[in-house]
Amino acid sequence: MILQRQEDVTPAVLEVMERTHDPRIREIMVSLIRHLHSFVRDVRLTEAEFRAANAILNEIGQLTTETHNEMVLMCGSLGVSSLVCLLNNGDNGNTETSQSLLGPFWRLNSPRVENGGTLLRSPTPGEPLFMTGFVQDTEGRPIAGAEVDVWHSSPVGLYENQDPDQADMNLRGKFTTDAEGRFWFRSIKPAGYPIPTNGVVGRLLAIQDRHPFRPAHVHALVFKEGFKTLTSQVYVDDDPYLETDVQFGVTRALIGDYVRHEEPHPTAADVAGPWYSLDYTFTMEPGEAVLPRPPIK
């Protein structure tokens, strides 16, 4: 089509998109063009703003490295990650779900740990945490033999790949559920933390007068053939940022009951108190067991 005016652009592009052979890609691209062109018209995007937007997208790609993923941070900061998650889980958004954001800090090859073992691989001062997880299907039946990958930040709010004082793979471990669907381990109570703000996302938060903090949480990725891979975060119930998570990740179903104990631990002789316990149930939906692509190495 030879264009004569701005109104001709969208029909011309849509005509090309409609030729796409793959029906799902065709559906996505047609809708994308309609919404994208409507957005440009709605805000009357200027040429200078268009050039700036291109530079921002280029910068996001350039900032992404083996240890940092700026695009994951941006998707979370815009609420897109949570929206996609909640649309695709919990009976397609109709019920609560254990599913949550993968986040930018999952690593593929965390070390295996026997149930009852520890996630600590280097000295990590903090209040001890003893967690017991239960993995079940949507009918409440235990899932034995599920692989559960666990990771979380330190009490100073840093993952080990951000912190030279922590050993490699500190506060990470991979467990297998027993016949009753359980796994359990010892660690240190995590702290909330600010997401990295030295890039595009940081500038966005600054101009919007938003804080960069995430509430404290423990991550879990659960894998078992016959079930959709579950990525979850269990949030600390007294964290001050639960209501204002910069990544919009907190749902009611993901708030854990972190119980504080002042007395000595009944089996860990070196824990005189205080310490925390956490019991949490993860519910897996039937589906295809596929591991996500790790955002970092």
Side-chain angles (χ1 to χ4, degrees), residues 10 29 56 59 70 81 91 112 156 168 199 222 236 259:
T10 303
M29 293 307 301
I56 287 171
E59 185 180 356
E70 189 78 5
S81 300
D91 189 25
R112 292 206 168 267
V156 298
D168 186 44
V222 190
V236 175
V259 180

Side-chain angles (χ1 to χ4, degrees), residues 131-147:
M131 177 174 178
T132 298
F134 176 70
V135 180
Q136 65 177 19
D137 64 17
T138 53
E139 302 299 322
R141 295 170 298 209
I143 300 176
E147 183 181 86

Side-chain angles (χ1 to χ4, degrees), residues 229-248:
T229 301
L230 175 66
T231 61
S232 192
Q233 299 181 23
V234 186
Y235 294 93
V236 175
D237 47 336
D238 63 354
D239 193 285
Y241 294 108
L242 281 177
E243 298 281 353
T244 59
D245 176 18
V246 67
Q247 295 280 283
F248 302 100

Side-chain angles (χ1 to χ4, degrees), residues 116-139:
T118 179
L119 297 186
L120 275 68
R121 307 186 194 290
S122 59
T124 311
E127 295 171 312
L129 170 67
F130 294 82
M131 177 174 178
T132 298
F134 176 70
V135 180
Q136 65 177 19
D137 64 17
T138 53
E139 302 299 322

